[in-house]
Amino acid sequence: MSDWLFERFKEFGERPFLAQDSETHTYSELSQQIEAYRSALAQQGLQAGDVVTLETDYSLQGIAALFALFQLRAIAAPVATVSQTEIEMRREVANANWSLTIHEDHTHTLSRLVDPQEQAPHALIVEVTQSGAAGLILFSSGSTGHPKAMIHNTDHLLNQFAKKRKRRLSILIFLLFDHIGGLNTLFNGLASGALIVTPRSRDANIVAEAIQRHGVNLLPASPTFLNLFLLSGAHRNYDLSSLRFITYGTEPMPESLLLRLKEALPDVAFIQTFGTSETGISQTVSRSSSSTQIKIDDPNSEHKIVEGELWLRSKSQILGYLNHEMSRFTADGWFKTGDLVEEADDGFLTITGRREDIINVGGEKVTPSEVESILLELPEVADCLVYGQLNAITGQNVAAEVVPAQDTDRKALKRKIKQHCRKALSPYKVPARIQFTDQTTFSDRFKKSRIAQAKPND
């Protein structure tokens, strides 16, 4: 077990660790709350190797409960959702013995779902328990059916942060409690003694107000949220002078959007991150704040490019899936990420998109992010989403949802988009269908939701 981290919590003592609105908690309180949960859960019969869905979001109680489960060498499966159907699906997929719910009034309920004596544990659960470590189960988005449940050895995850330099930093945690990016931010912040700031919601103005109130230095987010942040005007309405870094990942960043962001926040360094639920978050270096090129520079992982696809192998990757075959892993441990990249001569990479999102127009391949970046070059385009639409002749064609800037003549804008795209793109990449909308489609994790296999073009 990663005892070094618990010792670090005690060392940080009265340093503030968590802030939400006007309420602040210290590392000393976190240590005490972890011990209180560890004792209470053990008394209720929870044992090493038990699988527990932890149904909560970021709070003193939720974070403490997670680390208490780690101390008990249980298998924690965080679930940050309000949908009861989704919660029950994840309990089933994880084959959970218990559910631990943290309520809004900070009380908790531990419910036994299945008697461990009546349920043979999965071989991977046995492997983690026998190693003396706790486990962490993360879920895929489940957009095509039941989510995949993947299990990490928590020692492998947490030990990556053991050499983190201790420093005072204020980090706003944006990605969800059950997302690898959110947990990476949490673990990174706690290992360095940072103040973790949790906004009441992920509304752009509430996030900006939290940055102003708590002097946030680092904001991790997605390109989709950052564009919404610009559109809201929150960067003009609040004092964001404390903000030094914005990290972005989870989806490709259109280069023209990055330039808009840099113009709006010239004193902020923009850093692209990369990671997967299966392999963890890799350390990266961005070429510059105005470039979408990155280099993976991580002693705990290695990468290679196979037929344009990025493959990773890391010390922190999952042991396996509890409910799915391992075809995305090679026999020698490489994970096929599904991300398509282009490599420069000096080793910097440009992530062009997901293999599953590629649009095939009569055999010609189109990446949505390339077309989106061209559309966002027009000041009249506030936001856009590009996807493939079925076509009887070419198989697919390019379609686009466009959010016009305020007071824009839509008919004139459609003509301007066509003209601009014809100059900047090959003919097969020019959107055949342009639909105006008030807001593009995105998930609760602020990632663009591509409209897969849309109805044929009329």
Side-chain angles (χ1 to χ4, degrees), residues 43 55 107 131 148 153 167 175 187 220 238 307 340 349 363 369 383 404 406 411 441:
Q43 288 179 13
E55 297 153 20
T107 60
S131 74
K148 289 183 286 189
N153 178 310
R167 56 178 181 166
L175 298 172
F187 299 155
Y238 294 88
E307 297 180 351
L340 301 177
L349 307 176
S369 60
D383 197 6
Q406 289 185 350
K411 186 176 291 186
T441 307

Side-chain angles (χ1 to χ4, degrees), residues 213-231:
R213 179 193 290 256
H214 299 289
V216 169
N217 311 125
L218 170 62
L219 170 64
S222 68
T224 292
F225 173 78
L226 292 172
N227 192 43
L228 293 172
F229 194 80
L230 283 186
L231 295 178

Side-chain angles (χ1 to χ4, degrees), residues 250-301:
T250 75
E251 61 181 350
M253 167 71 83
E255 188 170 358
S256 53
L257 173 57
L258 181 59
L259 295 176
R260 285 186 183 185
L261 290 163
K262 188 60 182 173
E263 182 179 1
L265 298 165
D267 298 326
V268 175
F270 288 84
I271 302 167
Q272 185 172 185
T273 60
F274 185 83
T276 71
S277 297
E278 283 84 356
T279 58
I281 307 297
S282 298
Q283 296 178 29
T284 59
V285 177
S286 289
R287 187 182 289 281
S288 74
S289 287
S290 302
S291 171
T292 57
Q293 291 187 320
I294 62 169
K295 183 175 286 187
I296 297 175
D297 185 17
D298 190 335
N300 295 311
S301 71

Side-chain angles (χ1 to χ4, degrees), residues 146-210:
H146 268 39
K148 289 183 286 189
M150 54 201 84
I151 183 165
H152 285 271
N153 178 310
T154 56
D155 279 2
H156 296 169
L157 273 180
L158 293 174
N159 286 339
Q160 297 181 94
F161 304 97
K163 295 182 179 179
K164 280 291 177 182
R165 182 164 56 93
K166 302 169 189 176
R167 56 178 181 166
R168 294 185 181 273
L169 195 68
S170 179
I171 304 173
L172 189 140
I173 199 159
F174 179 80
L175 298 172
L176 297 180
F177 191 61
D178 57 1
H179 187 282
I180 185 64
L183 290 172
N184 183 78
T185 300
L186 178 66
F187 299 155
N188 183 39
L190 295 180
S192 59
L195 171 65
I196 304 296
V197 176
T198 62
R200 293 192 313 278
S201 79
R202 290 163 179 86
D203 173 83
N205 284 284
I206 290 176
V207 168
E209 193 275 335

Side-chain angles (χ1 to χ4, degrees), residues 399-431:
E401 286 186 1
V402 173
V403 179
Q406 289 185 350
D407 303 322
T408 297
D409 183 305
R410 296 190 174 195
K411 186 176 291 186
L413 178 55
K414 183 173 285 192
R415 289 196 300 268
K416 189 169 185 178
I417 289 172
K418 291 282 190 179
Q419 291 169 358
H420 183 65
C421 288
R422 288 185 186 119
K423 290 179 182 177
L425 297 167
S426 301
Y428 63 90
K429 297 180 180 180
V430 176

